[in-house]
Amino acid sequence: MRAETEFSRDLYAPIGPGGAEDAARFGRKAATLSRLAGLGMPVKPGFAVAAEAVSDLADRGAAALGPGFEAALADLAPGALLALRASPGRKEWGGPATLLNLGASVEGLEPRIGARAARDATRRLIHAFAVHVGHADPEAFEYALHDLLKAHGADSEHDLDADQLDELIETFLDLHEEETGDPFPASPAAQLAAAMGAMARAWSSTSARLLRVSRGGPEQGGLALIVQEMALGLGAGLSGAGRAAFRSERSGAPGLEGRMLFQAQGNDALAGLRTPRLVGAAERSAAGVRDPALEEAAPEIADRLRALGAKAERAFQDAMTLEFTLEDGALHVLGAEPTRRTARASVRIAVDLAKTGAISEEDAVLRVEPRTLSELLHPTIDPLAPRDLLARGLPASPGAASGPIVFSAEAADAAAARGVPAVLVRVETSPEDIRGMHSAAAVLTVRGGMTSHAAVVARGLGTPCVVGASGLHLDLEARELTAPDGRVFREGDSITVDGASGEALAGAARTVQPEFSGALAELMGWADRLRRMRVRANADTAQDARVALGFAADGIGLCRTEHMFFEKGRITPMRRMILADREADRRDALDVLLPMQRADFIGLYRVMQGMPVTIRLLDPPLHEFLPHVDEEIDDLAELTGLSLRQLRRRIADMQEFNPMLGKRGCRLGITMPEIYQMQARAIFEALAQSWTDGPLVRPEIMIPLVSARREASLIRRDIDQIAASVSEETGKAFSYKVGVMVETPRAALRAGDLAGDMDFLSFGTNDLTQMTYGLSRDDAGRFMRDYVNSGVFEEDPFHSLDVEGVGELMMIARDRARQTRIDIPLGLCGEHGGDPASIRFCEAAGFDYVSCSPFRVPIARLACAQATVLQRRLQEEAEA
């Protein structure tokens, strides 16, 4: 604790240039006000009280203020009304409420602003002081006001005349003494000292400390105070208060917007007690409001505001919103803060600032949060549209879409055929639902996590999806969906899926369509010039590849060949192959599939001319391709000649206790090598047939779920043999790579061995996370929200890469692989490839590329650019 004599004037800095500009000591608001005053803006005189003085004030009370405070106060105009404002280090830390009109009295104010305004200012002071300083019950004052309004037939306090306000003042004075036990202090100095002490104590209270810490603020200290002469906003002439922005919050385009109230103070315009006026004429016209905007009622004030806004934007290198007060036509600026903005506005503002030279292109790229680009790449719900919440789940795939509910993939297909894309609602999806998911406008599941089947497929398709909406109850027999609040929705009822927020809404909500042009295209061009890592797309079909190229992907980082076999006309020969007891029968079925698979690859090659295409060999357990519905089982029995009993027994025999750790991935290639041999032949024959179509693709063949070097080397031997065979048959010499998907902890630990035989390593972080944690990625969604809310996990590890655990395994793998081969390419092709935090890890780790769903490619491109810039700046700081 400081002795009183240690409190010198340096703890009380004037608002102005060279004054309270140190935000660490005097808070963000005081520092901003000082800069505004330094720019020559009309800022009322005042001073800031340093945070360390406020901390001592909470302990010692008014005795802690000392002579420095008296000297600072003496610099203000004698008899001026004062405002006391909190100035925390950061706005999000919160802070005590502002106190206005300190020192107000009817006698002192009436000659200056008139009888009614003088009484209005005085009753405002008594009310606020009693509640915020004396801790009086606010409802007691609200009831007193309501009773007086009722007695005089008035709608609001604005309708009360001077005599009626006199009544209210007397009532408020009595209430103050009744509620606090003390008469209202008449002395302005006593009012100010008591208010400052109350603010300091409120900031130090247990509840305030807990709330502040939860928002990232300090437990102790961090609050400065501002004492400033009042700009009244009440009285004669053009008087009032409001806020003005100079760019659209929705688009970022220049334009005057905001709200203000005549005969008002502080944040009255935002309080909802009276209907505010709009500031800009264009905004008023667009809103269809009849009352003239401030720009129309006082164009000279609007012109002055615009000039001040432009000056603030240049000085702060950002779009700023000004808080202002008008006092008899005189304009006063009370504060400034960055303008609120949508993702679209954020991009436009950053690009505009860079083009005017206010910031660099590099800084413009850093200013846009990559995740928010989802709002520009997908339809989104209009922020002004009403939201009738049906259920909450996980935001699995961004975008918003509405449509009638259907409960099966077949119904989704049928609805799309009628030209009415529907919302597919399932308990959880399976590979059999893929066709319906292609047809659906959106997908909603009761169970599932961020890497569940529904989530992964929907992201690849760019289809809005919410998973894990566990509050819903789906009764397939009754064809009903019951919401947590008891409402029942039947097939055909319309709902909306908001994949960005993870919410399902009743009815068809109004949406805003995406726009990938203009400022966004320009920003992405800058990002591409800055980034080091390449961004590839997860794409399984030629159509997926075209979408990926539309988003400027650098190639395909993951082509999941299993999705091709679920297409109509292919699933039956695939099932024949799976059910075959003999290798010869399997090869017969694979011969039927070969031309289909070859055609798939030809389509990919033609789209991706000259670009890398990473093709993952068959990965899932084979039982996933078998039917589960009685009708499909009956059809398959008839096609294969098996009895129903034989077929059901065969299907049951193929079930595994833990299929994700069973016979899948490279284990299929080892035990049933003919499957991978067919796929390799399709890859190379497609390459030969694409020889004259344009620049050749260099395929990268990826072996999934490897744990041992011998697994990879055996499968590579077969691939190389088939490549040589097809080359001899066609007379074409192929250039290709063979690599492994590192998705088991053992593969990460033995990466040095694998690098000896492989051309690249790509980390499949979905499975690697699952196996490292021992978490089922399909079931974790049932409890993950509780884990995150309880602080067990900072983030869902399937959503953002676990750097401490999974990341350490990846770093070990990187080091060991590059000890064997210094230049071996490393990539990431799990769902984390579109997560900005995971991308920052990959940049720091020196990876060569990430791969994500096509609709997340722009997000990844921007995140890669930011990671490159931030990593370079860190290195420069370390070297300096």
Side-chain angles (χ1 to χ4, degrees):
M1 183 183 298
R2 293 174 180 261
E4 183 176 342
T5 55
E6 293 180 55
F7 278 95
S8 59
R9 187 156 184 169
D10 72 331
L11 296 176
Y12 303 95
I15 298 296
E21 293 180 355
D22 182 356
R25 295 190 70 214
F26 297 106
R28 181 63 55 192
K29 189 173 185 67
T32 299
L33 270 174
S34 290
R35 287 191 66 186
L36 294 172
L39 293 171
M41 294 198 185
V43 174
K44 283 280 193 177
F47 62 90
V49 183
E52 56 262 44
V54 175
S55 292
D56 204 67
L57 181 62
D59 295 331
R60 299 174 56 207
L65 292 173
F69 173 72
E70 295 171 4
L73 200 58
D75 286 342
L76 303 184
L81 268 64
L82 299 177
L84 179 64
R85 294 184 174 88
S87 182
R90 296 176 67 92
K91 180 183 177 182
E92 53 266 31
W93 297 350
T98 295
L99 281 168
L100 304 178
N101 305 320
L102 291 165
S105 68
V106 172
E107 297 79 11
L109 282 176
E110 188 167 348
R112 174 181 165 189
I113 61 175
R116 190 197 177 282
R119 288 158 174 80
D120 194 18
T122 303
R123 67 93 189 171
R124 286 170 179 260
L125 167 63
I126 300 166
H127 183 180
F129 191 92
V131 171
H132 298 297
V133 180
H135 306 295
D137 181 0
E139 288 192 355
F141 288 83
E142 295 298 333
Y143 288 144
L145 173 60
H146 177 76
D147 289 344
L148 186 72
L149 293 175
K150 186 176 180 181
H152 292 287
D155 292 328
S156 74
E157 61 266 40
H158 188 65
D159 300 321
L160 298 175
D161 61 25
D163 291 338
Q164 292 161 350
L165 285 172
D166 272 333
E167 289 183 54
L168 190 60
I169 289 172
E170 290 302 319
T171 302
F172 278 8
L173 287 171
D174 291 342
L175 272 176
H176 178 281
E177 187 164 359
E178 179 182 323
E179 289 282 324
T180 67
D182 294 307
F184 181 76
S187 161
Q191 293 171 14
L192 179 60
M196 292 175 66
M199 279 195 177
R201 289 189 295 275
W203 182 259
S204 300
S205 70
T206 301
S207 59
R209 288 202 307 269
L210 291 173
L211 182 61
R212 185 162 63 249
V213 169
S214 73
R215 295 172 174 173
E219 184 175 357
Q220 302 292 337
L223 178 72
L225 295 175
I226 299 169
V227 179
Q228 196 176 13
E229 293 180 19
M230 275 290 300
L232 275 171
L234 305 172
L238 189 62
S239 296
R243 296 166 68 86
F246 309 95
R247 287 181 177 271
S248 167
E249 294 183 6
R250 297 183 70 184
S251 71
L256 185 60
E257 295 188 350
R259 303 288 184 273
M260 70 91 58
L261 272 178
F262 294 115
Q263 297 299 314
Q265 295 183 309
N267 287 320
D268 284 358
L270 306 181
L273 300 177
R274 284 189 280 148
T275 303
R277 294 287 185 97
L278 297 177
V279 172
E283 186 182 21
R284 181 200 66 76
S285 178
V289 176
R290 287 187 299 176
D291 289 337
L294 175 66
E295 183 176 13
E296 296 162 312
E300 70 286 356
I301 297 295
D303 289 342
R304 291 180 63 195
L305 280 170
R306 266 191 290 265
L308 294 175
K311 184 181 286 189
E313 183 170 299
R314 288 192 299 271
F316 289 88
Q317 299 180 335
D318 199 0
M320 303 297 287
T321 293
L322 298 182
E323 183 182 354
F324 67 91
T325 293
L326 295 171
E327 185 176 356
D328 197 12
L331 176 64
H332 302 283
V333 175
L334 305 184
E337 61 187 34
T339 300
R340 292 176 56 187
R341 63 204 71 179
T342 63
R344 180 174 281 102
S346 180
V347 171
R348 170 71 185 269
I349 291 168
V351 169
D352 281 359
L353 290 171
K355 290 170 75 171
T356 61
I359 61 175
S360 66
E361 292 179 0
E362 192 173 276
D363 285 328
V365 166
L366 290 176
R367 287 205 177 178
V368 177
E369 169 56 47
R371 292 184 196 275
T372 64
L373 293 189
S374 291
E375 296 179 28
L376 307 184
L377 306 175
H378 303 271
T380 55
I381 294 178
D382 188 327
L384 301 179
R387 300 175 72 95
D388 183 0
L389 183 65
L390 174 63
R392 283 192 177 91
L394 297 174
S397 180
S402 304
I405 297 171
V406 295
F407 297 118
S408 69
E410 292 76 17
D413 280 336
R418 297 193 304 271
V420 185
V423 176
L424 177 61
V425 181
R426 303 283 284 163
V427 173
E428 55 190 340
T429 63
S430 70
E432 292 176 339
D433 293 313
I434 286 178
R435 290 194 301 276
M437 294 177 72
H438 274 271
S439 302
V443 177
L444 173 64
T445 70
V446 177
R447 294 203 294 259
M450 292 297 290
T451 57
S452 63
H453 178 271
V456 171
V457 173
R459 278 195 290 272
L461 296 173
T463 300
C465 179
V466 171
V467 299
S470 55
L472 294 172
H473 175 69
L474 178 56
D475 185 338
L476 287 175
E477 186 174 344
R479 319 298 286 174
E480 291 181 348
L481 181 69
T482 304
D485 62 7
R487 284 184 291 174
V488 176
F489 295 81
R490 295 175 176 81
E491 199 157 33
D493 291 342
S494 288
I495 66 170
T496 299
V497 169
D498 185 354
S501 68
E503 294 179 342
L505 310 175
R510 189 169 65 249
T511 57
V512 177
Q513 293 307 303
E515 180 182 341
F516 195 82
S517 61
L520 178 59
E522 199 158 5
L523 183 82
M524 295 308 299
W526 300 342
D528 288 338
R529 290 199 294 272
L530 289 169
R531 64 185 168 94
R532 180 193 64 83
M533 280 195 300
R534 301 295 88 194
V535 177
R536 301 186 187 181
N538 303 339
D540 306 330
T541 66
Q543 177 56 31
D544 292 344
R546 279 188 282 271
V547 173
L549 285 185
F551 288 125
D554 298 314
I556 294 176
L558 177 62
C559 171
R560 295 161 291 205
T561 53
E562 59 268 13
H563 288 172
M564 300 172 175
F565 296 119
F566 286 101
E567 294 295 322
K568 195 171 184 178
R570 304 183 182 195
I571 191 66
T572 297
M574 184 65 177
R575 287 169 173 171
R576 286 182 183 275
M577 186 274 295
I578 293 167
L579 294 170
D581 289 322
R582 301 181 306 151
E583 179 183 333
D585 294 333
R586 278 199 298 275
R587 288 191 180 276
D588 287 343
L590 288 167
D591 286 343
V592 175
L593 290 169
L594 173 61
M596 301 175 185
Q597 184 95 113
R598 183 172 60 231
D600 291 328
F601 295 138
I602 289 172
L604 277 177
Y605 296 162
R606 285 176 176 166
V607 174
M608 304 300 296
Q609 291 183 2
M611 304 183 81
V613 174
T614 304
I615 300 169
R616 184 179 72 184
L617 299 175
L618 192 67
D619 180 43
L622 295 180
H623 76 86
E624 285 194 5
F625 295 92
L626 296 177
H628 305 287
V629 179
D630 287 345
E631 184 179 350
E632 290 194 1
I633 293 174
D634 292 345
D635 292 342
L636 184 59
E638 186 176 341
L639 286 170
T640 58
L642 295 172
S643 69
L644 276 176
R645 183 178 178 184
Q646 289 174 312
L647 180 55
R648 290 185 184 277
R649 186 190 309 122
R650 189 79 175 92
I651 292 172
D653 288 344
M654 294 194 68
Q655 300 297 320
E656 295 177 301
F657 287 111
N658 196 338
M660 289 298 101
L661 300 179
K663 188 176 177 181
R664 56 169 285 221
C666 67
R667 298 156 196 172
L668 294 171
I670 298 294
T671 60
M672 306 167 77
E674 55 275 12
I675 296 176
Y676 281 6
Q677 290 167 7
M678 180 277 289
Q679 291 192 292
R681 175 165 287 277
I683 288 169
F684 294 118
E685 288 182 353
L687 198 59
Q689 291 190 28
S690 305
W691 206 261
T692 59
D693 291 344
L696 275 180
V697 162
R698 185 183 186 187
E700 300 177 358
I701 303 171
M702 186 157 64
I703 306 168
L705 211 72
V706 167
S707 292
R709 180 177 188 174
R710 182 65 174 163
E711 287 175 317
S713 61
L714 284 173
I715 293 171
R716 173 158 200 159
R717 181 196 63 191
D718 286 352
I719 292 170
D720 290 340
Q721 288 176 353
I722 290 170
S725 176
V726 176
S727 180
E728 184 177 348
E729 295 166 10
T730 61
K732 305 289 193 299
F734 303 123
S735 177
Y736 63 96
K737 293 181 179 181
V738 179
V740 296
M741 197 171 186
V742 179
E743 47 193 332
T744 68
R746 193 179 193 282
L749 295 173
R750 305 309 302 170
D753 295 342
L754 296 171
D757 297 327
M758 295 294 113
D759 302 319
F760 67 92
L761 304 180
S762 184
F763 290 84
T765 51
N766 296 344
D767 265 325
L768 187 57
T769 298
Q770 178 171 240
M771 295 188 189
T772 302
Y773 272 93
L775 278 174
S776 165
R777 65 184 186 181
D778 294 316
D779 297 320
R782 299 185 185 187
F783 59 85
M784 188 57 67
R785 184 181 290 132
D786 293 333
Y787 259 51
V788 173
N789 290 341
S790 301
V792 178
F793 297 155
E794 186 174 337
E795 180 66 87
D796 182 341
F798 293 110
H799 187 228
S800 190
L801 189 69
D802 162 38
V803 173
E804 293 177 347
V806 178
E808 185 173 1
L809 270 177
M810 294 168 70
M811 297 283 273
I812 292 170
R814 175 205 63 181
D815 293 343
R816 293 181 180 179
R818 286 186 169 162
Q819 284 172 4
T820 300
R821 181 179 160 193
I822 189 73
D823 62 343
I824 189 166
L826 301 176
L828 183 153
C829 62
E831 284 302 308
H832 298 103
D835 170 57
S838 306
I839 287 169
R840 287 194 293 273
F841 166 82
C842 292
E843 174 66 33
F847 281 28
D848 298 288
Y849 70 88
V850 295
S851 187
C852 57
S853 64
F855 286 88
R856 300 181 82 182
V857 164
I859 296 171
R861 288 163 55 202
L862 181 58
C864 282
Q866 293 181 351
T868 299
V869 171
L870 293 173
Q871 189 68 19
R872 191 197 71 233
R873 291 184 178 181
L874 283 173
Q875 291 171 348
E876 290 171 351
E877 287 178 12
E879 292 168 2

